Amino acid sequence: MHSNLTEHARCLYGDEYRPASQCGPDHHEHYFVEELTFADAEAILAMLRELCPNLVDGLLPVWVRNLAYRLVLLQRPNQPALMREAADSLYMHGPDWDDLAAELRSQADALEGRDQGR
């Protein structure tokens, strides 16, 4: 069916940069959501970076981006750069999530301050 999470997402949502894969007629979005839910952080980040390399582009639905970043941050909770990347994505698709984005930036700043104080 699909060789990885990126190919699965490309099949469902398309890609501005490459042709979309062709899936069988029984392909459903819930299979992608299941695969995304249990994917490791590297696979999720690879999907985000390949299908949305400039943050403002890409054809992934906003809910997929938000879920993907949430799942990555659960797996890598103390990475300020990643927290800021997720916050930037939230700001791009806000203002509904501006408060969450600001909180992520605040947490990233606090983590960096704690790390620099060592």
Side-chain angles (χ1 to χ4, degrees):
M1 186 112 154
H2 303 101
S3 60
N4 58 46
L5 184 66
T6 302
E7 290 303 315
H8 201 158
R10 182 177 283 124
C11 171
L12 282 170
Y13 307 113
D15 185 344
E16 292 182 63
Y17 306 99
R18 287 195 208 168
S21 310
Q22 294 301 315
C23 296
D26 62 342
H27 188 77
H28 298 284
E29 191 171 57
H30 71 269
Y31 294 127
F32 170 74
V33 173
E34 184 176 286
E35 185 176 357
L36 175 62
T37 300
F38 296 103
D40 62 28
E42 291 77 22
I44 296 170
L45 288 170
M47 174 194 70
L48 288 167
R49 300 216 166 106
E50 188 167 333
L51 298 180
C52 308
N54 301 307
L55 194 62
V56 298
D57 59 1
L59 301 176
L60 287 178
V62 172
W63 71 266
V64 171
R65 291 183 194 208
N66 289 348
L67 178 60
Y69 277 112
R70 179 67 175 147
L71 292 169
V72 168
L73 290 175
L74 286 170
Q75 293 179 53
R76 295 183 176 175
N78 296 318
Q79 293 190 2
L82 194 53
M83 294 169 97
R84 287 190 181 92
E85 183 179 327
D88 289 346
S89 181
L90 288 170
Y91 278 128
M92 289 299 303
H93 303 292
D96 294 342
W97 302 293
D98 285 358
D99 291 344
L100 293 171
E103 178 61 27
L104 277 173
R105 285 198 168 280
S106 176
Q107 289 174 12
D109 292 345
L111 280 170
E112 280 187 341
R114 184 176 67 206
D115 289 345
Q116 291 174 1
R118 288 185 187 175

